[in-house]
Amino acid sequence: MGALTLRLTSLTSIFAASSSVRPSLLRRRSRPLSLPIRRPLVSNLSAQSTAAEKDAAPEIAGNQKARVSEQAITPRSQDFNAWYLDVIASAELADYGPVRGTMFIPYSFIEKEASHVEGFSPELALVTVGGGKELEEKLVVRPTSETIVNHMFTQWIHSYRDLPLMINQWANVTRWEMRTKPFVRTLEFLWQEGHTAHATSEEAEEEALQMIDIYTKFAYEQAAIPVITGRKSRVETFAGASKTYTIEAMMGDRKALQAGTSHNLGQNFSRAFATQFTDENGQRQHVWQTSWAVSTRFIGGIIMTHGDDAGLMLPPKMAPVQVVIVPIWKKADEKAGVLNAASSVKDVLHVAGIKVKIDDSDQRTPGWKFNFWEMKGVPLRIEIGPRDVSSGSVVISRRDVPGKQGKVFGISMDASVLVAYVKDKLDEIQLSLLAKATAFRDSNIVDVTSYDELKEAISQGKWARGPWSASDEEELKVKEETGATIRCFPFEQPKGEKTCLMTGNPAAEVALFAKSY
């Protein structure tokens, strides 16, 4: 018996009142009108559609078993264990996979796509012994999921009616990094990854571009990181992809961070795994695919983009605590009044949807608490002392504006006044962090027209932007001689004729070079 892979598509009501937020796989049939909702996958893989969703397609060639959802369920009284397995299969909660466990992939799967195995071989962690016995086939601790996804897609996709098939999952992956850096480059990391299959190349390209646009909006609007979006060079394209789109962020040390990617896989994996469907004319076709991901690397990006000598500086839209209240008293008879006022302020802000916390501990001084919550990156601090209680006001300090400049006295405790002020300041901080990061990025990008200028810019720790139409070999020469790589060919391109900085030949695009994490 093979391994089970979870497919939680039928227990929506257990997790949420609305199907729009169910924690399961999304199988989407129509094209989205705007930003699609991608449901997170709770395990390695997930689901095909229910029998009711399909039009009884006759194309089940290659499937080893009939549709389990059409089979009768063994009565509980007859065979409890068989009933249990029938319910799981018929409700499409899980499917049988090629290996026990969701974190392993047969090595033969990795080998099926030539460029994929070549690109990932140095980073693979292999399992050769299990349960005290040598395995018949070594297993790979999952570095990414394209291969195992395609194996399951071959079981779930038969007809054009099954397309597009789109899954989304949160999963841990392992890549054998020699030099690690917390959140940025680690042996194991958590990421969100999506995999889609389409009937046409145009749909796959649209999906890949749509996802990099979603990641770009997330970076700008939530993380306040002004990424540059573009296409990777052939050298830097994901192993096994036809095209890779990326968002590149400039960190505080001016190194580049690849913060998210979206890949148009073409038919590379579907041909390797024979992932096919019968089209409307009855012809067998290979699917067109995409995959896309962001990871906990984004946390490192937020730290290195916004942080300062005092510690973290979190964008309000992402901060787990947006406002911390520090009550201040010296005499015992002042404590109750101050704490009551602090509690009332907390309730007012909480009701307004603001994430707020009171630090009313007795063990630390107010000054220590100020420093601690600044280090934690909390966007706003509210101070309440006996005189503030008497005047019905509070003192508010901004994390992004240090010292007295960021402190405002006498803000009324009146609910309407306080809530409006706090929300306005949180919005200001969000925009301020983005503006500051954008100004820093733009001031450290140099336009170059020759290789010498490129080398000079990189030696100064800056990014170099210049026309490029040179070969892959010349791109590798730049990396060897400067340590910089092509981060992307930005989507936003200058107009007019261009001349390649390396060869002097005509160039259609400018490329962005930088050292990176």
Side-chain angles (χ1 to χ4, degrees):
M1 180 178 290
L4 287 175
T5 53
L6 298 182
R7 304 190 298 164
L8 298 183
T9 56
S10 303
L11 301 183
T12 305
S13 60
I14 293 178
F15 298 106
S18 167
S19 62
S20 65
V21 293
R22 66 187 182 191
S24 63
L25 159 125
L26 170 63
R27 174 171 183 141
R28 197 169 70 227
R29 297 194 165 277
S30 59
R31 300 303 303 159
L33 297 177
S34 56
L35 300 185
I37 297 174
R38 298 302 210 282
R39 289 146 173 107
L41 191 64
V42 298
S43 182
N44 181 16
L45 288 172
S46 204
Q48 69 194 86
S49 63
T50 63
E53 286 176 317
K54 299 187 64 174
D55 296 328
E59 306 88 350
I60 314 184
N63 202 12
Q64 296 180 354
K65 57 183 181 292
R67 249 192 189 316
V68 292
S69 56
E70 296 174 352
Q71 295 178 351
I73 296 176
T74 303
R76 281 173 42 131
S77 58
Q78 177 179 322
D79 188 330
F80 191 86
N81 187 60
W83 163 83
Y84 176 76
L85 296 176
D86 287 349
V87 167
I88 290 173
S90 296
E92 297 188 330
L93 302 182
D95 207 344
Y96 289 94
V99 65
R100 296 176 181 177
T102 60
M103 65 185 296
F104 302 117
I105 297 174
Y107 187 75
S108 59
F109 284 17
I110 301 289
E111 291 181 305
K112 282 189 177 184
E113 212 290 323
S115 62
H116 194 63
V117 67
E118 181 181 356
F120 274 101
S121 284
E123 300 178 338
L124 297 180
L126 301 178
V127 179
T128 58
V129 176
K133 297 180 180 180
E134 187 170 342
L135 301 177
E136 292 183 8
E137 179 182 4
K138 57 187 174 184
L139 302 176
V140 174
V141 183
R142 177 177 51 198
T144 184
S145 303
E146 282 76 12
T147 57
I148 194 74
V149 163
N150 265 274
H151 176 82
M152 301 309 298
F153 274 9
T154 61
Q155 301 181 38
W156 298 341
I157 298 172
H158 308 290
S159 163
Y160 68 91
R161 298 183 182 93
D162 298 322
L163 299 174
L165 176 56
M166 303 183 174
I167 69 171
N168 182 56
Q169 66 180 8
W170 280 94
N172 277 36
V173 294
T174 296
R175 297 180 184 176
W176 207 264
E177 300 286 355
M178 301 307 294
R179 291 191 300 270
T180 60
K181 187 181 185 73
F183 295 117
V184 174
R185 192 169 290 279
T186 53
L187 192 71
E188 179 185 11
F189 57 89
L190 175 67
W191 72 354
Q192 165 273 322
E193 61 173 325
H195 300 269
T196 72
H198 305 265
T200 68
S201 61
E202 292 79 11
E203 285 188 10
E205 178 69 0
E206 180 186 348
E207 179 71 18
L209 289 171
Q210 176 180 250
M211 282 312 305
I212 204 64
D213 181 57
I214 289 173
Y215 291 157
T216 300
K217 289 181 178 178
F218 171 77
Y220 271 87
E221 297 174 6
Q222 304 296 319
I225 298 178
V227 296
I228 293 177
T229 309
R231 186 189 77 255
K232 285 289 190 182
S233 67
R234 285 190 300 269
V235 171
E236 296 293 324
T237 293
F238 175 75
S242 297
K243 296 177 185 176
T244 290
Y245 301 111
T246 181
I247 53 174
E248 300 288 327
M250 183 182 288
M251 301 294 95
D253 60 357
R254 297 181 293 190
K255 283 187 178 180
L257 183 76
Q258 180 180 287
T261 51
S262 179
H263 313 293
N264 184 336
L265 303 177
Q267 294 180 317
N268 297 331
F269 286 91
S270 65
R271 291 186 180 278
F273 283 82
T275 312
Q276 296 178 293
F277 69 101
T278 301
D279 66 17
E280 296 183 49
N281 298 317
Q283 301 297 310
R284 295 292 287 170
Q285 306 285 351
H286 289 91
V287 299
W288 300 81
Q289 292 179 263
T290 76
S291 65
W292 22 269
V294 293
S295 75
T296 44
R297 168 174 279 212
F298 233 111
I299 298 174
I302 292 170
I303 296 169
M304 292 191 290
T305 298
H306 303 304
D308 62 11
D309 289 348
L312 299 175
M313 194 180 302
L314 299 179
K317 289 186 178 180
M318 299 198 71
V321 177
Q322 295 172 311
V323 178
V324 62
I325 301 171
V326 179
I328 303 169
W329 68 89
K330 291 183 178 179
K331 301 176 182 179
D333 59 356
E334 296 172 338
K335 180 177 179 180
V338 169
L339 290 179
N340 287 337
S343 180
S344 296
V345 168
K346 177 187 176 182
D347 291 343
V348 165
L349 297 178
H350 179 73
V351 168
I354 296 165
K355 292 175 283 186
V356 57
K357 177 182 178 64
I358 296 179
D359 186 346
D360 56 1
S361 59
D362 292 327
Q363 292 81 14
R364 301 293 184 179
T365 65
W368 187 95
K369 295 177 183 179
F370 294 172
N371 292 333
F372 176 79
W373 292 109
E374 285 178 4
M375 181 272 294
K376 285 283 198 177
V378 175
L380 285 178
R381 182 180 73 241
I382 293 180
E383 304 162 24
I384 302 177
R387 278 187 284 184
D388 301 304
V389 174
S390 300
S391 63
S393 64
V394 298
V395 179
I396 297 183
S397 296
R398 288 175 55 156
R399 173 63 180 86
D400 64 320
V401 182
K404 294 181 179 179
Q405 288 183 320
K407 181 171 288 193
V408 179
F409 297 84
I411 304 300
S412 174
M413 290 186 191
D414 178 79
S416 60
V417 175
L418 183 61
V419 168
Y421 183 89
V422 167
K423 286 187 173 182
D424 181 61
K425 291 305 167 188
L426 291 175
D427 289 342
E428 278 188 25
I429 294 170
Q430 184 79 26
L431 294 174
S432 175
L433 292 179
L434 178 60
K436 182 179 178 181
T438 302
F440 178 78
R441 180 201 68 185
D442 292 347
S443 67
N444 285 289
I445 297 177
V446 178
D447 288 306
V448 299
T449 58
S450 70
Y451 187 35
D452 286 340
E453 290 179 357
L454 183 151
K455 288 189 287 187
E456 177 64 20
I458 298 300
S459 70
Q460 295 176 2
K462 296 178 180 285
W463 292 18
R465 179 174 52 203
W468 184 264
S469 61
S471 66
D472 294 351
E473 291 72 23
E474 285 165 314
E475 180 180 342
L476 292 172
K477 176 185 174 182
V478 173
K479 180 178 182 180
E480 181 180 346
E481 294 183 354
T482 71
T485 56
I486 292 181
R487 303 316 304 159
C488 69
F489 292 92
F491 286 163
E492 293 186 7
Q493 289 282 331
K495 296 180 180 179
E497 297 182 356
K498 307 173 190 67
T499 301
C500 177
L501 66 88
M502 180 68 83
T503 66
N505 296 327
E509 300 174 289
V510 299
L512 202 57
F513 293 81
K515 292 183 179 180
S516 66
Y517 282 102

